[in-house]
């Protein structure tokens, strides 16, 4: 790294916010993908003007800039695959305004999702998007990845709540998109373009979010099924009865095997699938709704139904869902975790396809996720030390994604493309569509400064120099 | 062979970290600094680099590794249960032993070297009269924390002129049919808060137990552990295990959460035959619950004039899952109205010797307790650790609140009357 660049960075944000120490490079070289790419320099910024100056500097020196939030991304979005400046935004963490008249919130990008939720809930308001990482992921990261979670069945994902943004463009201009109003048709909807752009089109420095009134009450149910097919049919039946629960999570037999020993709720030996169903709204309507759901699903081979009567019991049910991820390692050391999504009615077909792939290739596949919106977390559990396993995995993943796309689904519901899934983009999108996206990237970022090497597989975009 | 685990012993668990980032939520230093080097995940990445023998790490690595209270909050919630606090301890010992890497050495371990310390201390005659000082053993963790007394703005307890050993006999005979309880008092109670120790003994006596307070007990070793002095930890552990071997004690009770974490939890991880000893170690609140004291208290008439009290979870109890017993005890007290507070379980910020070399961060962590405390409306914040009491009072004073930090045993003693 050119000493001159470091000097200029220091002039912008001060000495203690710039580091080229090896230890700092190491601690900013990874995210939840566990891949490692060292940056050339680590910078902490706290003001939009500084972000802008840093990006302009990067354009002058032709050096990549990688926006970084909590580093909890699952697809390598914040990894400096071509080196460069890791620009950390966790200290831009002020909630600037919670407007109880217009039901909006204005925040800096480093605010942690769960913290905003707690603050607005104190005022009787609600920010629904609930990625499982909400207690540590940042809203900037959520916007960049368009994060979603269990509640999205009913309430939608991050993009449904972003009203306006302040963004530093890849050439360093500070622009504002959208605003505080629910309606806005002035010019192109750049807000939507930035949401989900994975830090490749701009650095978000301020976010205006829509809030809704907090639901008065909720009711959580855990239902054990004899077969996965039964559970899948139950999901379809609920949706086609035009009932939209808040959440509709499912766990398959392999998942249940992983958690049976650690679950505080006893799970029957015959239980081959679980649905966790939650409804919310006015307290007096909930009992009726819950009963309706239970009667709709009753023909599908139910072993046991548990309805939480208190918050504590509801928490206990959710705990069953939360212990899933950490418990999977029991099967095999290496986990390939994908988050494909299919139209909701196709969930049973997708499950069948996955069972077939698992048999054909003789690899354990553990599935759980958000049945209500067709988003399935597919975890292929293998031991990469086994001879030939790595090659086999390439084929398995190809088949998993192909199956999703064939059902008119998508290769990622929440986690984004980043580096991990770039090579599968062409399975889902035609060359013209990808070409159009690249053109957009080029217009925004002629020097390919911002987060190069992400989303698009080939680096035919000029790679940023050092 | 060293009784402390070495960094190599953690190689496997270090690689179990899946880099999920969950620890950010629970790590007090990350919350204060919002910097990856301060969180468990970052420290584990550095420990891994150190194990691989990567070069060029010295300065910043030491800074990051120093940025840890060894509170264990991260371990509790880590899906892989990676013991970052123990790993940080091992790295610090590595640093202290390895002369090539001695920046922490400069900031922390040298506080151990009695010469330097004595020099600093001699300047502080006002706070510590040499007469009192003479009574505090060279190896005491309090000496490691003494520089606190020299820090500007710092609220510190007065060192008592008559320490616990001057006040309580080594052996107090109880009913003949009741067993002997060993009392591990620890430095803070022995020298700074002897009344807490007196309360402990009085309550045990009242319940009919014989109490053994061996004079040969030493510092638990937590401050030495935190500053990377493995040899001293070893020496202290040996002395403490030996100290209680002289009598047939049924339990070894503590009223200091840090000491409990030291002689109970840390000694368990050592490569030594300490199983019989550590199995006997018990926190006072757990012991009193097992003895049925809570029901007895709940049966007493509530006082007409009660104080509103909230509770702070000391990390060393919280991470062992001891969160209910202290609350139940407070709820049972006739002189207390118990209220919960927000952030009850967040760290106070003291952390072994952390506060000595990172007072600003320590203060920032402590300040996070204040809004919740204020909102609770309590006039006392009770806890089970004298270290926390000192730090909480410091944070309270900085915020200008009229709240007093007390030990649960202070309130219990008041309820039972002398
Ligand atoms: C245990 C666990 C559970 C998870 N569960 C879910 C889930 O249920 N649903 C879900 O959707 N995701 C989930 N994720 C993935 C991840 O938490 C989300 O993608 C999250 O939105 C990332 O936020 P972050 O702050 O960690 O961003 P980072 O990982 O730091 O960055 C992610 C991307 O956003 C970009 N970025 C960050 N900040 C900005 C900014 N201010 N402006 C522009 N670009 C920026 C980065 O460059 C990068 O491309 C989970 C992750 C983990 C580890
Ligand atoms: S919570 Fe545990 S596994 Fe996750 S990053 Fe932190 S230390 Fe690693
Ligand atoms: S032990 Fe405490 S301070 Fe250290 S990394 Fe873990 S949570 Fe953070």
């Amino acid at each position: 790294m050119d000493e001159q660049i470091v000097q200029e960075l220091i002039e912008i944000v001060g000495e203690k916010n710039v580091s080229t120490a090896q230890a700092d490079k190491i601690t900013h070289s990874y995210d939840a993908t566990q891949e490692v790419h060292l940056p050339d320099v680590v910078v902490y910024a706290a003001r939009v003007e500084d972000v802008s100056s840093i990006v302009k500097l990067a354009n002058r020196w032709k050096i990549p800039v990688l926006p970084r939030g909590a580093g909890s991304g699952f697809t390598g979005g914040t990894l400096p695959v071509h080196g460069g400046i890791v620009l950390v935004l966790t200290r831009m963490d002020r909630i600037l305004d919670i407007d109880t008249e217009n039901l909006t919130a204005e925040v800096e990008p480093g605010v942690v999702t769960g913290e905003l939720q707690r603050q607005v809930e104190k005022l009787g308001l609600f920010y629904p998007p609930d990625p499982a990482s909400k207690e540590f992921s940042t809203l900037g990261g959520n916007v960049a990845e368009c994060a979603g979670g269990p509640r999205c069945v009913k309430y939608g994902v991050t993009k449904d709540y972003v009203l306006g943004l302040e963004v530093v463009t890849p050439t360093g201009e500070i622009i504002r998109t959208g605003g505080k109003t629910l309606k806005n048709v002035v010019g192109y909807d750049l807000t939507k373009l930035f949401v989900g752009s994975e830090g490749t089109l701009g650095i978000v420095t301020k976010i205006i979010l829509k809030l809704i009134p907090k639901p008065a009450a909720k009711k959580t149910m855990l239902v054990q099924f004899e077969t996965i097919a039964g559970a899948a049919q139950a999901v379809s039946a609920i949706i086609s009865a035009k009932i939209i629960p808040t959440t509709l999570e499912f766990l398959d037999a392999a998942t249940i095997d992983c958690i049976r020993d650690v679950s505080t709720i006893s799970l029957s030996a015959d239980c081959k699938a679980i649905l966790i169903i939650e409804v919310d709204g006015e307290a007096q309507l909930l009992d009726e709704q819950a009963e309706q759901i239970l009667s709709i699903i009753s023909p599908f081979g139910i072993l046991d139904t548990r309805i939480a009567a208190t918050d504590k019991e509801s928490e206990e049910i959710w705990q069953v869902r939360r212990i899933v991820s950490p418990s999977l390692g029991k099967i095999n050391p290496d986990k390939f975790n994908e988050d494909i999504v299919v139209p909701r009615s196709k969930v049973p077909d997708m499950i069948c396809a996955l069972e077939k792939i698992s048999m054909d290739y003789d690899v354990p596949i553990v599935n759980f996720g958000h049945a209500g919106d067709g988003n399935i977390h597919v975890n292929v559990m293998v031991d990469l030390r086994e001879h030939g396993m790595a090659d086999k995995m390439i084929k398995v993943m190809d088949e998993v994604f192909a199956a999703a796309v064939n059902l008119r689904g998508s290769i990622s519901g929440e986690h984004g493309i980043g580096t991990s899934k770039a090579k599968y983009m062409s399975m889902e999108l035609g060359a013209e569509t990808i070409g159009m996206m690249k053109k957009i990237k080029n217009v925004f970022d002629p020097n390919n400064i911002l987060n190069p090497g992400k989303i698009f597989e080939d680096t035919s975009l000029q790679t940023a120099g050092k | 062979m060293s009784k402390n685990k070495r960094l190599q012993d953690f190689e496997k668990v270090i690689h179990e970290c899946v880099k999920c980032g969950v620890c950010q939520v629970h790590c007090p230093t990350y919350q204060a600094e919002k910097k990856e080097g301060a969180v468990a995940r970052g420290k584990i990445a550095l420990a891994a680099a150190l194990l691989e023998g990567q070069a060029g790490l010295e300065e910043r690595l030491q800074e990051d590794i120093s940025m840890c209270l060894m509170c264990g909050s991260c371990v509790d919630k880590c899906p892989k249960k990676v013991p970052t606090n123990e790993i940080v301890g091992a790295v610090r010992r590595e640093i202290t032993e390895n002369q090539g890497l001695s920046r922490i050495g400069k900031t922390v371990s040298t506080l151990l070297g009695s010469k330097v310390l004595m020099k600093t201390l001699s300047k502080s005659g006002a706070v510590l009269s040499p007469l009192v000082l003479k009574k505090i053993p060279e190896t005491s963790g309090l000496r490691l924390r003494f520089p606190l007394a020299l820090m500007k703005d710092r609220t510190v307890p007065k060192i008592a002129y008559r320490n616990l050993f001057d006040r309580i006999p080594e052996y107090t005979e109880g009913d003949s049919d009741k067993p002997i309880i060993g009392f591990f008092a620890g430095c803070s109670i022995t020298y700074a808060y002897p009344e807490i120790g007196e309360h402990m003994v009085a309550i045990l006596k009242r319940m009919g137990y014989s109490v053994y307070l061996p004079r040969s007990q030493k510092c638990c070793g937590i401050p030495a552990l935190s500053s990377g002095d493995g040899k001293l930890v070893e020496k202290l552990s040996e002395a403490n295990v030996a100290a209680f071997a002289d009598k047939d004690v049924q339990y070894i009770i503590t009223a200091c959460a840090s000491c409990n974490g030291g002689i109970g939890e840390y000694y368990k991880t050592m490569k030594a035959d300490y199983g019989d000893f550590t199995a006997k170690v018990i926190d006072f609140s757990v012991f009193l619950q097992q003895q049925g004291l809570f029901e007895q208290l709940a049966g007493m008439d509530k006082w007409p004039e009660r104080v509103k009290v909230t509770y702070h979870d000391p990390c060393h109890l919280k991470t062992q899952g001891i969160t209910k017993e202290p609350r139940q005890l407070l709820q049972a007290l006739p002189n207390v109205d118990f209220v919960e507070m927000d952030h009850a379980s967040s760290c106070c910020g003291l952390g072994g010797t952390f506060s000595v070399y990172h007072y600003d961060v320590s203060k920032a962590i402590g300040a996070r307790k204040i809004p919740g405390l204020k909102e609770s409306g309590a006039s006392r914040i009770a806890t089970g650790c004298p270290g926390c009491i000192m730090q909480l009072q410091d944070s309270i004073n900085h915020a200008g609140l009229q709240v007093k930090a007390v030990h649960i045993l202070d309130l219990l003693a008041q309820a039972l009357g002398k």
Side-chain angles (χ1 to χ4, degrees):
Chain A
M1 164 118 289
D2 197 315
E3 204 29 54
Q4 179 70 29
I5 305 180
V6 178
Q7 268 318 312
E8 288 183 24
L9 286 167
I10 289 175
E11 272 159 38
I12 300 169
V13 290
E15 195 157 9
K16 65 179 201 318
N17 292 313
V18 178
S19 173
T20 53
Q22 184 67 10
D24 279 323
K25 290 183 188 173
I26 291 173
T27 54
H28 295 80
S29 66
Y30 50 73
D31 65 3
T33 56
Q34 300 189 59
E35 268 183 55
V36 173
H37 296 276
L38 291 186
D40 294 305
V41 57
V42 179
V43 179
Y44 277 73
R47 303 180 326 148
V48 57
E49 298 79 16
D50 296 347
V51 173
S52 162
S53 307
I54 291 163
V55 173
K56 284 182 181 155
L57 171 151
N59 272 279
R60 261 186 282 117
W61 289 93
K62 305 280 185 291
I63 170 174
V65 176
L66 298 301
R68 183 180 170 99
S72 73
F74 266 146
T75 50
T78 186
L79 301 181
V81 289
H82 297 295
I85 305 170
V86 163
L87 181 57
V88 190
L89 301 159
T90 47
R91 288 180 184 159
M92 293 182 83
D93 63 349
R94 289 177 303 165
I95 296 175
L96 301 168
D97 180 39
I98 297 173
D99 182 339
T100 53
E101 284 178 6
N102 293 301
L103 309 195
T104 59
E106 193 168 339
V107 300
E108 292 186 327
V111 172
V112 170
T113 317
E115 182 58 25
L116 175 72
Q117 288 173 334
R118 268 187 294 280
Q119 295 306 326
V120 302
E121 282 173 37
K122 277 189 188 166
L123 302 169
L125 297 171
F126 194 44
Y127 175 70
D130 59 340
S133 53
K134 69 182 168 142
E135 288 302 334
F136 47 102
S137 68
T138 66
L139 284 162
N142 288 177
V143 168
E145 300 286 3
C146 188
R151 291 206 283 248
C152 296
V153 186
K154 178 166 176 183
Y155 291 108
V157 294
T158 303
K159 70 176 171 203
D160 300 309
Y161 293 86
V162 182
L163 295 175
L165 294 172
E166 178 186 79
V167 178
V168 173
T169 70
T171 42
E173 290 85 23
I174 300 171
I175 65 166
R176 286 174 189 82
T177 73
K180 241 176 117 78
T181 55
L182 293 179
K183 297 177 178 177
N184 183 331
V185 291
V186 181
Y188 295 137
D189 190 349
L190 293 181
T191 310
K192 282 273 189 312
L193 182 58
F194 283 117
V195 178
S197 66
E198 304 191 19
T200 63
L201 295 183
I203 301 177
V204 174
T205 49
K206 215 176 270 173
I207 310 164
I208 302 175
L209 293 164
K210 177 174 88 174
L211 305 174
I212 60 174
K214 186 172 183 248
K218 64 180 183 190
K219 199 164 203 83
T220 318
M221 295 166 272
L222 185 145
V223 188
Q224 302 186 33
F225 287 86
E226 281 165 6
T227 61
I228 184 81
Q233 285 164 337
V235 172
S236 299
I238 295 171
I239 306 273
S240 50
K242 304 194 175 53
I243 299 174
I244 304 285
T246 323
T247 63
L248 234 180
E249 296 288 295
F250 88 102
L251 317 181
D252 76 354
T255 311
I256 296 164
D257 283 341
C258 292
I259 60 170
R260 194 168 268 119
D261 293 345
V262 280
S263 167
T264 49
I265 294 178
S266 101
L267 304 174
S268 134
D270 299 327
C271 169
K272 295 284 183 259
I274 288 176
L275 285 184
I276 298 174
I277 309 168
E278 192 170 281
V279 288
D280 68 4
E282 291 305 321
Q284 60 274 31
L285 299 178
L286 288 184
D287 287 339
E288 201 181 307
Q289 238 188 48
E291 246 166 60
Q292 198 188 352
I293 290 177
L294 291 178
S295 89
I296 292 173
I297 64 175
S298 62
F300 303 113
I302 291 175
L303 291 167
D304 182 65
T305 304
R306 185 189 183 95
I307 304 177
T310 60
D311 277 357
K312 194 160 158 270
E313 286 178 24
S314 155
E315 221 4 69
E316 211 180 342
I317 290 182
W318 280 113
Q319 198 50 32
V320 173
R321 170 70 177 81
R322 277 190 218 114
I323 53 174
V324 167
S325 228
S327 308
L328 295 184
K330 282 183 196 142
I331 309 182
N332 261 325
D334 300 300
K335 169 167 100 171
F336 288 77
N337 159 4
E338 300 303 340
D339 77 321
I340 54 133
V341 55
V342 294
R344 318 194 239 222
S345 65
K346 298 292 185 205
V347 170
D349 300 332
M350 189 64 211
I351 297 286
C352 276
L354 289 166
E355 272 179 358
K356 184 162 181 312
I357 297 170
S358 171
M359 301 243 271
D360 288 354
Y361 288 90
D362 190 25
V363 286
I365 304 187
V366 183
N367 304 299
F368 58 91
H370 321 304
D373 56 23
N375 193 185
I376 304 172
H377 291 291
V378 179
N379 296 272
V380 189
M381 311 297 301
V382 295
D383 187 342
L384 282 177
R385 289 167 302 192
E386 257 174 57
H387 180 71
M389 187 51 87
D391 291 337
K392 190 163 153 182
M393 274 313 298
I394 294 175
K395 291 196 198 124
V396 170
M397 291 330 293
D398 278 353
E399 291 222 9
V400 168
F401 291 132
V405 172
N406 285 340
L407 293 167
R408 301 191 63 184
S410 176
I411 63 172
S412 177
E414 316 182 310
H415 299 162
I417 299 298
T419 50
S420 316
K421 283 189 231 171
K423 68 177 181 195
Y424 299 109
M425 274 250 288
S426 58
M427 276 185 159
E428 182 174 334
L429 302 176
E432 298 78 7
T433 314
I434 295 177
M436 183 59 74
M437 289 182 180
K438 284 185 180 171
K439 277 188 216 162
I440 294 175
K441 165 75 175 166
N442 227 336
V443 169
F444 275 71
D445 189 6
N447 291 321
N448 200 17
I449 290 302
L450 206 57
N451 218 344
K454 307 296 163 67
I455 303 186
F456 308 109
E457 193 194 6
D458 59 331
T459 37
S460 58
L461 285 168
Q462 137 208 8
T463 12
K466 293 241 159 143
Chain B
M1 233 216 24
S2 160
K3 289 192 170 123
N4 294 295
K5 281 194 186 165
R6 305 197 60 93
L7 186 53
Q8 280 81 349
D9 296 324
F10 293 101
E11 184 157 10
K12 193 161 159 277
V13 283
I14 285 174
H15 291 293
E16 272 171 21
C17 166
V18 292
K19 301 270 180 289
C20 61
V22 168
C23 39
Q24 290 175 358
V25 193
H26 310 284
C27 173
T29 51
Y30 179 81
Q31 288 301 329
E33 294 280 284
K34 289 286 174 109
K35 182 174 175 289
E36 186 72 27
V39 80
R41 180 171 68 167
K43 288 165 193 143
I44 291 165
L46 292 175
L50 209 59
L51 274 177
E52 282 164 20
Q54 281 203 35
L57 292 172
E58 283 77 3
E59 195 164 322
R60 188 52 60 89
L61 173 126
Q62 294 184 44
E63 219 169 290
D64 287 344
I65 290 298
S66 77
M67 208 31 99
C68 177
L69 298 134
M70 297 177 75
C71 63
S73 305
C74 51
V75 191
D76 213 19
K77 298 289 159 59
C78 167
K80 295 290 172 185
K81 296 277 172 281
V82 182
T84 307
N85 54 346
E86 292 178 35
I87 294 169
V88 165
V91 174
R92 288 184 184 173
R93 289 194 291 278
E94 204 85 6
I95 291 170
T96 322
E97 280 164 32
N98 179 342
Q99 285 313 303
L101 289 167
S102 64
R103 192 142 165 277
I104 287 203
K106 274 187 221 138
T107 49
V108 188
S109 311
T110 44
L111 300 174
L112 276 169
S114 53
K115 260 193 231 144
V116 180
L117 188 67
M118 292 314 282
K119 215 161 82 192
T120 353
L121 290 177
S122 63
K123 289 188 204 141
S124 64
V127 188
L128 309 161
S129 88
L131 230 157
V132 174
L133 190 64
K134 233 173 63 192
K135 292 192 175 179
I136 300 180
E138 293 271 319
T139 49
S140 162
L142 265 195
R143 287 187 174 239
L144 298 180
R145 285 181 182 169
F146 261 164
L148 291 177
L150 311 175
M151 286 151 69
K152 216 169 144 264
D153 290 349
R154 186 34 129 164
T155 313
V156 281
K158 285 235 163 46
I159 298 300
Y161 185 73
R162 290 181 65 232
N163 69 40
L164 188 66
F165 296 151
D166 298 335
R167 302 177 187 207
I168 300 284
E170 183 157 33
Y171 187 66
T172 309
E173 183 92 42
D175 300 350
S176 56
D177 58 337
K178 290 262 175 123
I180 309 171
I181 306 295
F183 178 25
F184 185 89
C187 305
S188 300
I189 289 183
T190 306
Y191 302 105
Y193 298 100
E195 338 57 80
I196 299 174
E198 287 180 296
H199 296 328
M200 185 77 257
V201 175
I203 289 159
L204 290 172
K205 228 165 89 182
R206 196 188 153 106
M207 296 169 90
Y209 295 103
S210 301
V211 184
Y212 180 44
L213 177 70
R215 298 300 191 251
S216 53
Q217 63 176 284
K218 296 264 183 316
C219 171
C220 66
I222 286 275
L225 186 69
S226 147
S227 51
D229 191 338
K231 287 228 176 63
L232 181 52
V233 178
E234 221 173 282
K235 207 164 105 188
L236 294 170
S237 69
E238 284 160 8
N240 285 328
V241 171
F244 286 88
D246 296 346
K247 283 219 188 313
D248 184 23
V249 297
Q250 191 186 37
Y251 285 111
I252 298 167
I253 202 167
T254 61
C256 166
S258 294
C259 292
N260 189 286
I263 66 168
E265 297 302 291
Y266 184 72
Y267 290 7
K268 267 187 215 160
T269 72
M270 294 179 79
K271 299 178 198 167
D273 199 10
Y274 290 164
D276 285 346
F277 176 90
T278 55
K280 289 181 185 165
V281 175
I282 191 165
D283 175 67
F284 75 97
S285 67
V286 178
F287 176 81
L288 296 178
Q289 190 219 31
Q290 286 175 7
Q291 303 310 312
L293 182 77
F294 295 7
E295 286 90 47
Q296 239 172 293
L297 289 168
M300 290 167 74
D301 287 338
K302 289 273 177 202
W303 292 16
E305 306 253 311
R306 296 182 294 273
V307 277
K308 210 169 184 186
V309 179
T310 189
Y311 177 68
H312 159 78
D313 287 288
C315 295
H316 283 113
L317 293 186
K318 172 185 76 181
T319 53
Q320 295 183 53
I322 304 173
T323 53
K324 285 194 215 81
E325 295 85 349
R327 288 180 168 78
Q328 288 166 354
L329 176 46
L330 285 171
Q331 275 157 350
L333 284 176
N335 48 339
V336 162
D337 264 337
F338 176 71
V339 286
E340 270 297 344
M341 65 177 266
D342 264 3
H343 284 110
S345 68
S346 77
C347 178
C348 68
L350 185 70
T353 50
F354 180 84
S355 181
V356 177
Y357 48 95
H358 288 307
Y359 186 39
D360 284 344
V361 182
S362 163
K363 267 201 293 199
I365 295 169
R368 290 168 53 82
K369 309 266 341 170
I370 297 299
L373 179 56
K374 228 188 225 167
E375 244 170 66
S376 75
S379 65
R380 300 271 186 287
I381 179 165
T383 189
C385 181
C388 298
I389 293 176
M390 174 176 108
Q391 172 80 358
L392 289 168
Q393 195 64 58
D394 189 50
S395 306
I396 291 166
N397 294 355
H398 280 290
L401 296 193
Q402 296 297 321
V403 178
K404 196 161 179 260
V406 297
H407 198 284
I408 297 178
L409 288 174
D410 292 329
L411 297 166
L412 177 56
Q414 187 193 36
L416 296 176
K418 282 272 164 165

